[in-house]
Amino acid sequence: MQASIEQAAAQFIQPSDDFRPNFNRVPFQFLHNLVDHPLFTLPRLLELAKATRDQRPRDLYYDAGPEIRVDQRWDAMGPKSFPVEEALHRIENCGAWVTLHQAQKDPEYGAVFHECMREFERLTGVDFRQVMRVEDALIFITSPRRVTPYHIDRECNFLLQIRGEKSLHVFDRNDPDVLPVAEIERFWAVDNNAAIYKPQLQNRATTYRLVPGNGVHIPVNNPHWVQNDDNVSISLSVNFTWKDWERANIHRANFLLRKLGISPRPPKQSAAVDSVKNAVVATAYMPAFYMARGASRFLRRLKGDRGDGFRPSKNKPATT
């Protein structure tokens, strides 16, 4: 009876038995019906990119280059030599990885995103509105043969493949050889690039073939990287960050304790110790972190960074 209700309610996401037992526990594949949706054509996405540039420049990012490695850090991609609009026009041959954050702020994309969220709620049995802090419709537009480097995310992610084909390699977040606790702590505390790719452990990854019409659920902190096929790829990430920051704050506290030469307890070994760590980090560390991040963004704006990393030179206009 439950399956028939979910089937009748599904517009974009096809039901399966994996959602309830595996949600945010282990990765799994699913099917969707967004392949021919007109919002995910390149001309329409170019319109969205331009609107994002004008209204929310911090929600638009790209990098480009022919030699991006699996182990490349995001902060070592190098300067952008042309604006993101040009990257989209040249997407077939410029080696670009374009990301449009918060696409749901556009009403048309918002309608699709929120319908997907409601369907994922029904399929997982979780009321996302009660547990999430920030939601994000994130669209990836990727050049042929482009690599998306190895990384872990804060977000709980449903990745839907809409155009093109690629291979997604996902590792077990609970494997201490793949993801040591020190890397998790550093990631939550100070470094988005803390997860280090270990090529000798590549055989421990599960490889998913993403083709138009399928998708993969990636739980929080599962390491992964992507190899695009010889085609332009368009993907939609329906994701959110959890409202409960306690476990993240414990990792941050443990990172600081480890810097002092102390071997801290992992999360969930002592409720009392976890509570103290969470309280200290929430009231002291995080306010200082956000203040420092705000100052850094302000300084970048003074230098002419518009949000996507493109900085116009004296002889190059800021827009196309």
Side-chain angles (χ1 to χ4, degrees), residues 251-269:
H251 284 312
R252 294 175 179 123
N254 286 353
F255 170 80
L256 297 173
L257 290 170
R258 207 176 296 277
K259 296 285 283 185
L260 296 173
I262 301 170
S263 297
R265 294 186 186 184
K268 295 189 175 181
Q269 284 196 358

Side-chain angles (χ1 to χ4, degrees), residues 130-133 241-249 278:
Q130 297 299 315
V131 300
M132 72 179 180
R133 189 176 69 91
T241 55
W242 294 89
K243 185 182 296 184
D244 182 6
W245 278 105
E246 180 175 353
R247 189 164 186 175
N249 282 343
N278 179 52

Side-chain angles (χ1 to χ4, degrees), residues 2-25 28-33 115-128 158 160 217:
Q2 181 64 37
S4 64
I5 293 174
E6 291 173 348
Q7 181 69 56
Q11 178 179 354
F12 297 131
I13 311 302
Q14 297 186 26
S16 83
D17 294 332
D18 287 319
F19 282 96
R20 286 180 183 259
N22 294 335
F23 171 65
N24 204 40
R25 294 184 178 90
F28 60 86
Q29 280 193 303
F30 58 89
L31 300 175
H32 68 86
N33 306 319
E115 175 57 28
C116 287
M117 288 284 280
R118 301 295 79 80
E119 292 180 26
F120 283 130
E121 283 184 322
R122 290 190 289 269
L123 292 165
T124 61
V126 177
D127 185 348
F128 295 163
F158 295 95
L160 287 65
H217 169 55

Side-chain angles (χ1 to χ4, degrees), residues 222-280:
N222 272 77
H224 56 283
W225 68 277
V226 183
Q227 173 67 67
N228 198 21
D229 284 12
D230 192 14
N231 50 225
V232 173
S233 170
I234 297 173
S235 306
L236 169 67
S237 170
V238 176
N239 70 63
F240 67 89
T241 55
W242 294 89
K243 185 182 296 184
D244 182 6
W245 278 105
E246 180 175 353
R247 189 164 186 175
N249 282 343
I250 294 165
H251 284 312
R252 294 175 179 123
N254 286 353
F255 170 80
L256 297 173
L257 290 170
R258 207 176 296 277
K259 296 285 283 185
L260 296 173
I262 301 170
S263 297
R265 294 186 186 184
K268 295 189 175 181
Q269 284 196 358
S270 168
V273 171
D274 286 353
S275 179
V276 171
K277 290 176 180 177
N278 179 52
V280 170

Side-chain angles (χ1 to χ4, degrees), residues 16-313:
S16 83
D17 294 332
D18 287 319
F19 282 96
R20 286 180 183 259
N22 294 335
F23 171 65
N24 204 40
R25 294 184 178 90
V26 295
F28 60 86
Q29 280 193 303
F30 58 89
L31 300 175
H32 68 86
N33 306 319
L34 283 170
V35 173
D36 297 319
H37 200 289
L39 288 179
F40 298 97
T41 62
L42 278 174
R44 181 63 181 89
L45 290 171
L46 178 58
E47 292 178 12
L48 177 64
K50 290 179 178 178
T52 305
R53 159 63 55 78
D54 294 340
Q55 301 165 18
R56 301 177 282 105
R58 290 285 159 190
D59 287 337
L60 188 152
Y61 168 86
Y62 89 98
D63 59 57
E67 302 296 335
I68 304 301
R69 307 183 313 275
V70 176
D71 62 350
Q72 187 122 5
R73 287 178 60 95
W74 297 102
D75 55 4
M77 293 295 184
K80 283 70 172 176
S81 56
F82 44 81
V84 71
E85 295 93 335
E86 185 175 343
L88 287 174
H89 283 302
R90 297 170 50 190
I91 195 69
E92 293 278 359
N93 54 33
C94 70
W97 185 71
V98 179
T99 64
L100 306 175
H101 289 265
Q102 295 292 310
Q104 78 274 10
K105 293 183 178 179
D106 176 289
E108 291 185 294
Y109 289 92
V112 172
F113 172 77
H114 288 113
E115 175 57 28
C116 287
M117 288 284 280
R118 301 295 79 80
E119 292 180 26
F120 283 130
E121 283 184 322
R122 290 190 289 269
L123 292 165
T124 61
V126 177
D127 185 348
F128 295 163
R129 288 160 290 191
Q130 297 299 315
V131 300
M132 72 179 180
R133 189 176 69 91
V134 177
E135 62 185 12
D136 193 3
L138 179 57
I139 298 172
F140 302 105
I141 309 163
T142 315
S143 289
R145 301 173 299 281
R146 172 60 198 262
V147 167
T148 303
Y150 178 89
H151 64 286
I152 60 177
D153 294 316
R154 290 168 174 79
E155 295 81 12
C156 189
N157 182 14
F158 295 95
L159 182 64
L160 287 65
Q161 187 67 10
I162 296 173
R163 171 179 169 177
E165 300 184 11
K166 59 189 180 184
S167 295
L168 168 67
H169 308 278
V170 186
F171 296 79
D172 181 1
R173 65 184 177 183
N174 296 312
D175 185 333
D177 296 328
V178 169
L179 189 62
V181 66
E183 291 181 15
I184 301 175
E185 292 169 0
R186 183 172 181 81
F187 170 80
W188 285 104
V190 295
D191 186 4
N192 290 333
N193 297 275
I196 298 173
Y197 178 65
K198 304 164 185 67
Q200 71 275 17
L201 301 181
Q202 176 59 38
N203 61 358
R204 299 192 189 183
T206 299
T207 298
Y208 297 94
R209 281 297 295 164
L210 285 175
V211 301
N214 75 355
V216 174
H217 169 55
I218 307 174
V220 176
N221 279 178
N222 272 77
H224 56 283
W225 68 277
V226 183
Q227 173 67 67
N228 198 21
D229 284 12
D230 192 14
N231 50 225
V232 173
S233 170
I234 297 173
S235 306
L236 169 67
S237 170
V238 176
N239 70 63
F240 67 89
T241 55
W242 294 89
K243 185 182 296 184
D244 182 6
W245 278 105
E246 180 175 353
R247 189 164 186 175
N249 282 343
I250 294 165
H251 284 312
R252 294 175 179 123
N254 286 353
F255 170 80
L256 297 173
L257 290 170
R258 207 176 296 277
K259 296 285 283 185
L260 296 173
I262 301 170
S263 297
R265 294 186 186 184
K268 295 189 175 181
Q269 284 196 358
S270 168
V273 171
D274 286 353
S275 179
V276 171
K277 290 176 180 177
N278 179 52
V280 170
V281 171
T283 57
Y285 175 85
M286 291 311 296
F289 172 81
Y290 287 124
M291 183 178 296
R293 187 172 67 174
S296 176
R297 287 177 174 173
F298 177 72
L299 290 173
R300 287 201 303 268
R301 288 173 185 166
L302 290 180
K303 295 178 181 178
D305 184 344
R306 304 175 308 178
D308 67 352
F310 173 67
R311 297 179 181 178
S313 67

